[in-house]
Amino acid sequence: MEIPTVNIKSKKLIKPSTPTLATLRHHKMGFKDEVVAAINIRIILFYSAMNAGPDSTINFITRLENSLAQCLSRLYPIAGRYNHQIRTIECNDQGAEFIQAHVRNNIKLQDVLDPKLNPEMLNNFLPYGVCDAGEISDALLAVQATVFECGGLALGVSISHKVADAATLCTFLNDWATLSRDETSLDSVHPMFNSADFLPAKGFMGYDPPLPRTVKHRFENNYITKRLSFSDKAISMIRAKISAGRSYSRVQVVSAMIWKTLIDVDRAKHGSPRASMLIQPVNIRGKTTPPIPIDSCGNLGGFIITGCSKAQTLMGIECLVDLLHNSIKKTVRELKNLSPESDQLQTLVFNSFVKSETCDELVSVFPLTSWCKFPFYQVDFGFGPPVWVASSAGPVSMVTLMDGPGGCGVDAYVNLVGISTEKDTWKLKVQILRLWKQAYQIDMILMDEKLEEGSTVAFSKFGVDVIVYVVSTTDMAVFNGAGKESKRISFEIVNLRY
């Protein structure tokens, strides 16, 4: 599709509707807040057409701004600024940046929902880049409301990881949306930035990762982002093949598939098998006894680290999903036996952080985070839930899992540093389809199809209809029994359909 042209109409700072008390001007950061990178975490919520007419759009934008000001009074740290010199959030009410934009060149919302969309185009709907953060002048929260000519809306949100994890971002969005609907259900609910109550800071002034802007140029020219979509039916089929009587979640199944793919690509890159490690953040809210409230804000999580030996990397997905399942189950069981304010909880989180930062150089490490099950699809500003919630393309070597459109299935955003050729991209896609140790056949009889670079071709494999995007074609001096010439194609998977 044509690249969306997004024009910025206005920028302004939205400040809390009620000034923050002087006694609250310096936010007490927790341990994970102090050690997490000062990058932005970002999300885009796409909504179908609002009520038609320019007046309704203006009224809606005004309502968004006013309700955001109210929300910032409740969640005041995100209206402040991060002071890197003294490692603190200054709650000075400088405000969140609010950007109003519109899409030109007649691009409709439905065009952006196309599964073939290059996920890197999503950056057009976001206010800040991943690395546009860390300086005292940077807003901790930025919002870009982009209106389509058809009346659809893309709400791009960027928030500093120094004050928020995915759970906090979700809490903020639902709080803001409830205020926008002018409901009174928030009277008895008040999210609090209280991560330091459960994970006190340790004063790691010596732990000083580079500010994002200083490494931005190195990352931006050396990564590629791909979106892989897995329908609920596809996940159920895969689960049935590999479960062997065990109960695996959809996130575990998809995580194991992608981990296996990355292991195979890594082996091809190094020429031999290497031990592997999958690092997954774990949200500790709701998992201790008694539970930490789910609306507690800040960075409240540790890491689940699953190791895989050289020998195990040569085994199938069944082995990896079993390793993941056991690792997750063990961590959840440990958390359930801990008090939220205990030294043991702090030690567990601290040790998982240290382990994630001190991996053996001969071990290939793959970070994967899941935002599935967070209620992003419940963020309703008054005209219904989003039709699609998307992650962002970004210069981070990480895999992000999201609930698919409408909350169904799983979307995987694979950000890989160092993969820059179509050949490497094709290898990644082909490996994804090796679900059951069956090599994917790419020599196909396609003389009855119009086969050109840039075209799409549909065919069946494993009883599944697959739509592929043709990257390149090569004639082969091979004929089948019917005398038809065979062609080898390099392709990218667009989606699976049933």
Side-chain angles (χ1 to χ4, degrees), residues 3 24-25 98 109 135 147 189 197 290 310 355 379 386 395 460 468 471 474 477 488 491 493:
I3 298 176
L24 302 175
R25 283 305 173 98
F98 189 94
L109 173 62
E135 303 291 347
V147 179
V189 180
D197 293 346
K310 287 184 182 180
K355 188 174 181 179
V379 180
S460 293
V468 303
V471 176
T474 305
R488 181 185 297 273
F491 60 87
I493 304 303

Side-chain angles (χ1 to χ4, degrees), residues 235-253:
I235 295 170
S236 296
M237 291 171 59
I238 299 162
R239 184 191 285 122
K241 291 284 185 180
I242 66 177
S243 65
R246 301 199 70 176
S247 179
Y248 300 127
S249 71
R250 59 187 178 128
V251 169
Q252 291 171 7
V253 171

Side-chain angles (χ1 to χ4, degrees), residues 165-473:
D165 54 12
T168 301
L169 173 59
C170 193
T171 294
F172 155 70
L173 286 169
N174 276 288
D175 198 75
W176 179 19
T178 303
L179 288 166
S180 181
R181 298 195 305 270
D182 199 23
E183 294 184 2
T184 59
S185 58
L186 288 177
D187 291 346
S188 59
V189 180
H190 201 304
M192 295 182 63
F193 277 86
N194 55 355
S195 59
D197 293 346
F198 308 106
L199 300 176
K202 295 184 179 294
F204 276 7
M205 297 297 287
Y207 180 77
D208 191 19
L211 289 174
R213 290 185 190 278
T214 64
V215 296
K216 179 179 178 180
H217 66 284
R218 175 158 53 90
F219 281 123
E220 285 190 339
N221 298 321
N222 194 33
Y223 74 95
I224 189 169
T225 303
K226 292 295 176 181
R227 172 189 168 206
L228 308 173
S229 296
F230 301 87
S231 69
D232 285 332
K233 186 172 183 180
I235 295 170
S236 296
M237 291 171 59
I238 299 162
R239 184 191 285 122
K241 291 284 185 180
I242 66 177
S243 65
R246 301 199 70 176
S247 179
Y248 300 127
S249 71
R250 59 187 178 128
V251 169
Q252 291 171 7
V253 171
V254 173
S255 297
M257 290 169 55
I258 293 176
W259 190 15
K260 176 60 176 172
T261 298
L262 297 176
I263 286 173
D264 290 343
V265 171
D266 184 69
R267 183 169 64 247
K269 175 182 176 181
H270 291 281
S272 61
R274 287 163 55 95
S276 178
M277 185 178 291
L278 192 74
I279 300 180
Q280 300 169 283
V282 56
N283 176 19
I284 64 175
R285 299 170 181 84
K287 294 183 174 66
T288 58
T289 303
I292 296 173
I294 59 173
D295 59 355
S296 294
C297 295
N299 287 281
L300 282 165
F303 293 103
I304 296 176
I305 300 176
T306 307
C308 180
S309 68
K310 287 184 182 180
Q312 289 170 324
T313 64
L314 298 174
M315 302 175 73
I317 295 173
E318 299 90 339
C319 174
L320 297 181
V321 73
D322 212 41
L323 290 173
L324 281 174
H325 177 81
N326 292 338
S327 185
I328 294 169
K329 187 176 180 180
K330 175 177 178 290
T331 301
V332 171
R333 184 172 58 248
E334 290 174 342
L335 287 170
K336 187 177 181 180
N337 292 327
L338 297 178
S339 165
E341 298 180 357
S342 65
D343 292 341
Q344 291 87 346
L345 176 63
Q346 298 170 33
T347 299
L348 185 148
V349 171
F350 176 77
N351 288 343
S352 71
F353 166 74
V354 172
K355 188 174 181 179
S356 72
E357 293 288 314
T358 56
C359 301
D360 191 302
E361 63 180 12
L362 296 180
V363 176
S364 295
V365 178
F366 303 112
L368 182 149
T369 184
S370 173
W371 291 10
C372 295
K373 293 188 178 180
F374 284 122
F376 289 112
Y377 279 94
Q378 296 178 19
V379 180
D380 179 3
F381 287 92
F383 47 90
V387 294
W388 183 35
V389 179
S391 180
S392 64
V396 179
S397 183
M398 176 176 282
V399 177
T400 301
L401 304 184
M402 301 278 295
D403 292 320
C408 301
V410 175
D411 282 349
Y413 296 83
V414 185
N415 299 340
L416 293 175
V417 175
I419 290 187
S420 57
T421 66
E422 293 290 358
K423 183 178 180 181
D424 287 332
T425 304
W426 162 73
K427 284 182 180 178
L428 177 67
K429 294 293 186 173
V430 172
Q431 291 288 356
I432 283 290
L433 289 181
R434 293 182 178 177
L435 305 182
W436 309 305
K437 300 181 182 179
Q438 300 186 48
Y440 201 92
Q441 298 297 316
I442 58 171
D443 298 333
M444 289 169 280
I445 308 304
L446 294 167
M447 292 301 294
D448 295 332
E449 298 274 359
K450 184 179 180 181
L451 186 63
E452 298 176 348
E453 294 183 13
S455 64
T456 57
V457 180
F459 59 94
S460 293
K461 193 67 181 177
F462 306 131
V464 178
D465 290 332
V466 181
I467 303 175
V468 303
Y469 175 81
V470 179
V471 176
S472 64
T473 65

Side-chain angles (χ1 to χ4, degrees), residues 58-68 180 381-383:
I58 293 172
N59 292 337
F60 172 71
I61 295 297
T62 301
R63 194 168 84 232
L64 277 184
E65 294 175 352
N66 292 337
S67 55
L68 178 57
S180 181
F381 287 92
F383 47 90

